[in-house]
Amino acid sequence: MRASPDCSRFCPEAHIGATGHQMKTCYGFKCMIKDRPHEWQPGNLNDILVPVQAFHQKNMFEDEIKHDQRFDFTRVPAVLELCHHAGADIPDEILYKSEQISDTLKTNNQQSALILPDELRYIGQRTLDAWEYLRLGVTKLLLVYPSKVCKHCSEVHIGQSGHKARMCGVFKFEGWKGMHKWNKAGVDDLVPQKIVWHRRPHDPPVLVDGGRDYYGHAPAVIELCMQVGAIVPPKYHCMMKTHGLAPPVR
């Protein structure tokens, strides 16, 4: 079984495994249809590590970004912007060219490489440990360096107060002319977990719609690493329903 991501064609859902599940959780193109089966296609890095961008400022004490200044500031990964404010020395080729790196990885994902099982398990464990270390570090930095997230969309801003760019895309609030309503950001806003369905050993080979109340979940990174042999931290066992009942056979 290959541990590779699949992503739905018409919604953001992802699945880690040889074939996508059969649960009717797709809401269709432009959310026009509910409870329909997914149409799966090969996934890539951004389907597992969801990119979160933020405006880049030289320091956190600069003036607020006005709406007509939104094109004067570069968009960079929010985690890198947070680390920049914390004093990290980030090379320009990483800070400003993260999208190019992501595009390169997308291309490389299409080319399968033969990796020995032991090496694959080692890579999976290191990736899982790095993921946990990243989230712990971001959690600590957010205690010191203020960050904001929009209440109605996923826009993130690193700084004392949110920017004034009218970019909120929630149409039912268009009376606000696209103004964001800022709340305090958490680690999940900067490093989204991207929850996917988890298949346990006693579940059927392909998850079906009738068993959705029995199946567990896991962050996509954790699920991917687990399928190549990494040891999952106990804090995820409840979410994964590790010892839960299997769905009844019909």
Side-chain angles (χ1 to χ4, degrees):
M1 176 179 178
R2 64 182 179 91
S4 61
D6 292 322
C7 64
S8 179
R9 183 179 179 185
F10 297 119
C11 75
E13 184 157 345
H15 180 74
I16 311 297
T19 57
H21 61 70
Q22 296 179 356
M23 283 175 285
K24 299 178 181 179
T25 53
C26 184
Y27 44 74
F29 181 65
K30 293 186 177 180
C31 304
M32 297 174 63
I33 303 175
K34 292 184 178 179
D35 301 328
R36 58 168 288 171
H38 295 277
E39 293 185 23
W40 297 105
Q41 60 186 7
N44 55 57
L45 179 65
N46 286 346
D47 295 311
I48 298 177
L49 296 174
V50 181
V52 178
Q53 301 279 319
F55 285 114
H56 174 57
Q57 294 180 291
K58 298 299 181 183
N59 60 73
M60 62 188 303
F61 301 106
E62 288 189 32
D63 295 336
E64 287 183 333
I65 300 174
K66 307 300 182 184
H67 179 68
D68 56 358
Q69 297 175 321
R70 64 191 185 280
F71 298 118
D72 298 333
F73 292 84
T74 307
R75 301 279 288 181
V76 300
V79 171
L80 294 185
E81 180 68 3
L82 179 64
C83 295
H84 168 75
H85 286 315
D89 185 14
I90 305 174
D92 289 345
E93 59 268 19
I94 294 179
L95 185 62
Y96 296 110
K97 297 182 180 180
S98 59
E99 291 187 1
Q100 296 181 14
I101 296 174
S102 178
D103 291 339
T104 301
L105 290 172
K106 285 183 183 180
T107 303
N108 292 340
N109 281 347
Q110 299 174 0
Q111 302 173 358
S112 300
L114 180 61
I115 304 177
L116 296 176
D118 289 342
E119 184 180 359
L120 198 60
R121 188 180 304 109
Y122 174 73
I123 294 173
Q125 190 63 55
R126 289 199 60 185
T127 301
L128 191 151
D129 294 341
W131 164 261
E132 290 294 300
Y133 190 70
L134 168 66
R135 287 181 56 85
L136 177 61
V138 170
T139 301
K140 292 180 178 180
L141 289 177
L142 288 175
L143 296 175
V144 181
Y145 298 94
S147 301
K148 303 294 182 181
V149 62
C150 179
K151 179 180 179 180
H152 302 298
C153 72
S154 58
E155 176 70 9
V156 168
H157 182 74
I158 311 299
Q160 296 284 350
S161 60
H163 59 72
K164 298 297 184 182
R166 297 190 294 271
M167 299 160 46
C168 188
V170 182
F171 298 112
K172 64 181 179 180
F173 297 106
E174 61 184 8
W176 298 355
K177 298 182 180 179
M179 291 291 292
H180 295 288
K181 187 171 183 180
W182 298 106
N183 288 339
K184 183 178 180 181
V187 61
D188 286 337
D189 299 310
L190 275 70
V191 189
Q193 296 195 69
K194 191 59 178 285
I195 303 299
V196 299
W197 292 95
H198 168 63
R199 178 186 171 275
R200 303 161 300 179
H202 51 281
D203 287 330
V206 178
L207 303 183
V208 296
D209 190 63
R212 69 164 74 178
D213 293 334
Y214 295 86
Y215 305 139
H217 295 84
V221 173
I222 301 297
E223 180 71 11
L224 179 64
C225 296
M226 184 213 67
Q227 291 195 16
V228 298
I231 300 175
V232 178
K235 66 180 181 180
Y236 294 107
H237 289 179
C238 182
M239 178 192 300
M240 298 166 69
K241 297 183 180 179
T242 305
H243 302 293
L245 296 175
V249 179
R250 297 181 180 179

